[in-house]
Amino acid sequence: MIRIENISKSNSHRILFIEAAAALNKGEKIGLVGPNGAGKTTLFRMITGQEQPDEGQISTEKNVSIGYFSQDVGEMEGRSAVTEVMDGAGPVSSVAAELHELEAAMVDPDRLDEMDAIIERYGEVQARYEELDGYGLESRAREVLAGLSFSQEMMDGDVGKLSGGWKMRVALARILLMRPDVMLLDEPSNHLDLESLIWLEQFLKNYDGALLMTSHDREFMNRIVTKIIEIDAGSLTTYSGDYGFYEQQRAQNEKQQQAQFERQQAMLAKEIKFIERFKARASHAAQVQSRVKKLDKIERVEPPRRRQTVMFEFQPAPRSGEDVVNLRNVDKAYGSKTIYSDFGFLIRRRERWCVMGVNGAGKSTLLKLVAGAATPDQGSVTIGASVKVGYFAQHAMDLLDGDLTVFEWLETEFPRAGQGPLRTLAGCFGFSGDDVEKKCRVLSGGEKARLVMAAMLFDPPNFLILDEPTNHLDLDTKEMLIKALADYEGTMLFVSHDRRFLGALSNRVLELNGDDVHQYPGGYTEYVAQSGHEAPGLHV
């Protein structure tokens, strides 16, 4: 359906693609992977015609419709979420518009002389509208929005009043309702809660069109895609299988390439040693010349490229008391909405609690209460002896001063630390070389999250409170964080929609569901086995 043929593309002195080729065939579900800045979004834009390759071409079969969801959703206001979604439904929305125009024309006394033609055209358009299931359009739009966790009130309210994350869901719903022949989805799993993520997963598995998507959610990717296209150093490499298979295959390929490289280097060293030893001897001149020619003709094996990954290293945190935090008889309300009533909860040393609950259940509120960022209306929150709290909030990035560079901000946070330790810290979190001179205002969401996390872990706490810590982190960075936190000996309380993160790090689960509060002694994997669902909202 879509063929990428020997494309080359440069962007501001940076080469993104060199004679790269790949294909997206009918019904295929492909994950597009590569490090940040490799050119994933540029490839999407070239497929949709928003950008052109410098060389080569991207061809799409005739009459193939393409729906493209990007992180740049544009302005939305003045209409309801439902209307906004229906407007993006492709051909059916334009047919609906013509149908409304014809209905107005049929009751227009000034157009009586055209009535036969109008009625004839109305019949044709109405048949096409029925063929496209136009009459079911609104109900389908509401079904998609409900799947993405919209309430009826939010569906009918002004889309302009929604947050950026919810507007992204509206933009995603437009593409899903459209059901084009090809969907290009750039990070559709961002900003989704776990219930919405699982609903979207099922929707895409049942979608019979072709799909090319990026995602920083490993589990989401693994459950949907059957092929991976990797962007690496300007080339496109296709792997048959899910993301897990791709990782194994890539590691195996790199191992084989390293072995080939080492064998060739040993052979070259042996040949060069012979040449150096006998080049001055006339008796060996023919042999030396022969080996020199042989070396000139050998195609050199390159060593595998070493990927730059962020290394999180936790210094040992001081030991806390056995009772880390104790909530007793806590009441908390926002206006008329009661979040907690007579709520009690105890966290003990080295427990790793993940908090589950639908939107509005009070997950972030609980973390704020424990971190001291909110106070209970009644009851008490008592932090235990020798407990040092580190709190990563969803909006932690707002703490950054946009006028400061990365390094200047770290210096203001840790005025007594030397330049050396701070540069080392910045390097561990992916800010090397000139990156430390970037102004905070120009950092991407992922860079801001890494910087705030670096500051939090420079002087490590023994109690980590993390609210969606993996948002904006790419797959490699997320994996490094998981490995580092697995070795962390402190206590954790966290909210995450990433099932890999939940399964790898939790050893307790707190499920909030209105007045129902359930505690599960095992981690997220045991919670799924015991409860029979992956997220609380799936059984409501």
Side-chain angles (χ1 to χ4, degrees):
M1 297 179 85
I2 295 173
R3 300 197 68 78
I4 300 163
E5 300 173 287
N6 299 321
I7 62 163
S8 296
K9 178 75 173 175
S10 296
N11 194 353
S12 302
H13 309 298
R14 185 173 183 185
I15 297 171
L16 294 176
F17 298 100
I18 309 166
E19 296 185 352
L24 177 61
N25 300 312
K26 190 172 182 179
E28 284 187 329
K29 293 182 170 64
I30 298 178
L32 181 64
V33 303
N36 284 338
K40 298 187 288 292
T41 299
T42 301
L43 185 63
F44 281 139
R45 290 175 63 82
M46 287 193 291
I47 291 172
T48 57
Q50 292 170 266
E51 290 189 36
Q52 296 299 319
D54 300 332
E55 294 175 19
Q57 65 173 9
I58 296 179
S59 54
T60 304
E61 282 181 16
K62 200 175 178 183
N63 298 325
V64 166
S65 58
I66 296 177
Y68 173 40
F69 168 75
S70 76
Q71 294 294 300
D72 183 14
V73 298
E75 286 301 313
M76 291 183 188
E77 60 182 350
R79 300 196 292 182
S80 70
V82 166
T83 305
E84 194 72 44
V85 170
M86 288 170 62
D87 189 53
V92 70
S93 60
S94 57
V95 173
E98 187 178 357
L99 204 60
H100 289 314
E101 286 172 13
L102 291 165
E103 285 168 353
M106 284 194 289
V107 294
D108 186 346
D110 294 334
R111 300 186 66 178
L112 285 172
D113 54 336
E114 302 172 58
M115 202 53 65
D116 288 345
I118 290 169
I119 290 170
E120 184 181 349
R121 179 61 185 159
Y122 183 81
E124 293 168 0
V125 174
Q126 188 179 42
R128 176 66 176 146
Y129 192 62
E130 286 175 356
E131 184 186 321
L132 293 169
D133 190 27
Y135 291 107
L137 183 64
E138 183 174 342
S139 64
R140 284 189 288 122
R142 288 182 181 277
E143 186 183 327
V144 170
L145 286 168
L148 295 175
S149 299
F150 279 77
S151 64
Q152 292 297 325
E153 185 182 356
M154 291 169 73
M155 291 181 202
D156 294 317
D158 184 351
V159 72
K161 293 179 180 175
L162 297 175
S163 69
W166 285 100
K167 284 179 180 174
M168 283 201 176
R169 296 191 197 203
V170 171
L172 177 60
R174 286 172 67 128
I175 305 298
L176 301 181
L177 183 65
M178 178 183 170
R179 291 191 84 99
D181 300 317
V182 177
M183 273 193 213
L184 307 177
L185 304 181
D186 195 359
E187 296 295 345
S189 52
N190 273 7
H191 304 285
L192 295 185
D193 54 86
L194 191 48
E195 286 80 7
S196 300
L197 199 62
I198 292 166
W199 177 87
L200 177 60
E201 194 174 272
Q202 203 56 48
F203 184 98
L204 293 176
K205 278 159 78 171
N206 294 331
Y207 165 63
D208 54 11
L211 171 68
L212 181 65
M213 73 169 187
T214 63
S215 175
H216 290 163
D217 189 310
R218 180 195 186 95
E219 190 65 31
F220 179 73
M221 183 96 84
N222 268 341
R223 295 190 186 196
I224 296 167
V225 306
T226 54
K227 193 177 273 191
I228 295 286
I229 293 177
E230 178 192 49
I231 305 177
D232 188 21
S235 63
L236 294 172
T237 307
T238 303
Y239 296 79
S240 292
D242 62 12
Y243 185 80
F245 173 82
Y246 149 74
E247 274 193 317
Q248 292 172 357
Q249 194 64 44
R250 190 186 71 192
Q252 189 178 325
N253 292 352
E254 286 178 358
K255 194 175 176 182
Q256 289 172 348
Q257 191 176 344
Q258 182 66 29
Q260 279 183 301
F261 172 72
E262 288 172 2
R263 280 198 302 272
Q264 189 180 70
Q265 289 299 302
M267 182 273 291
L268 291 173
K270 186 179 175 185
E271 294 293 325
I272 290 166
K273 187 178 178 183
F274 179 90
I275 292 165
E276 289 297 317
R277 185 178 175 188
F278 294 108
K279 66 182 177 183
R281 296 189 190 179
S283 59
H284 286 75
Q287 285 175 285
V288 168
Q289 198 58 37
S290 169
R291 293 192 183 203
V292 168
K293 285 180 181 176
K294 178 184 167 186
L295 290 187
D296 286 342
K297 289 178 182 176
I298 286 175
E299 189 174 334
R300 302 298 164 102
V301 175
E302 294 291 327
R305 282 180 291 273
R306 296 292 172 212
R307 290 167 175 269
Q308 284 191 328
T309 51
V310 181
M311 294 296 294
F312 294 91
E313 291 186 5
F314 289 86
Q315 300 303 314
R319 182 184 171 122
S320 71
E322 288 302 312
D323 287 359
V324 174
V325 65
N326 195 356
L327 287 80
R328 292 191 183 94
N329 311 115
V330 166
D331 291 354
K332 185 65 181 175
Y334 290 108
S336 59
K337 183 175 174 60
T338 300
I339 308 294
Y340 292 109
S341 177
D342 198 29
F343 176 72
F345 181 46
L346 172 66
I347 298 176
R348 294 180 64 80
R349 190 174 75 86
R350 297 197 69 174
E351 290 181 339
R352 297 158 171 255
W353 286 90
C354 71
V355 185
M356 310 291 295
V358 297
N359 277 332
K363 302 187 295 293
S364 291
T365 300
L366 174 60
L367 269 57
K368 286 175 184 173
L369 287 166
V370 173
T375 52
D377 301 332
Q378 295 287 333
S380 63
V381 178
T382 307
I383 300 293
S386 304
V387 172
K388 181 183 175 187
V389 175
Y391 177 40
F392 182 89
Q394 283 187 32
H395 304 294
M397 284 84 88
D398 297 344
L399 302 172
L400 297 171
D401 184 335
D403 292 329
L404 297 180
T405 66
V406 167
F407 193 74
E408 287 168 347
W409 186 78
L410 286 174
E411 282 188 312
T412 61
E413 291 293 298
F414 306 105
R416 294 183 182 178
Q419 282 216 359
L422 289 183
R423 286 192 181 277
T424 302
L425 174 72
C428 286
F429 281 79
F431 298 101
S432 56
D434 293 341
D435 288 341
V436 293
E437 302 306 325
K438 282 183 179 176
K439 294 277 190 187
C440 290
R441 73 160 67 88
V442 303
L443 298 180
S444 68
E447 287 172 326
K448 287 178 179 176
R450 290 207 309 267
L451 181 56
V452 171
M453 205 170 287
M456 185 177 73
L457 300 176
F458 183 63
D459 185 13
N462 52 27
F463 180 30
L464 282 175
I465 303 170
L466 307 172
D467 197 353
E468 298 287 5
T470 60
N471 275 2
H472 306 294
L473 297 186
D474 61 40
L475 281 159
D476 287 338
T477 306
K478 195 182 292 186
E479 201 60 29
M480 291 306 299
L481 178 61
I482 288 170
K483 285 176 183 172
L485 287 173
D487 295 330
Y488 171 68
E489 295 190 352
T491 306
M492 288 173 62
L493 175 68
F494 63 92
V495 173
S496 176
H497 61 244
D498 188 290
R499 285 161 289 181
R500 163 92 177 126
F501 191 88
L502 290 167
L505 297 175
S506 59
N507 60 22
R508 301 281 191 282
V509 176
L510 178 70
E511 184 185 78
L512 305 174
N513 186 18
D515 293 333
D516 272 346
V517 176
H518 295 287
Q519 296 186 15
Y520 293 82
Y524 176 73
T525 306
E526 291 79 8
Y527 160 78
V528 173
Q530 290 173 51
S531 67
H533 53 261
E534 290 188 297
L538 299 179
H539 69 103
V540 174

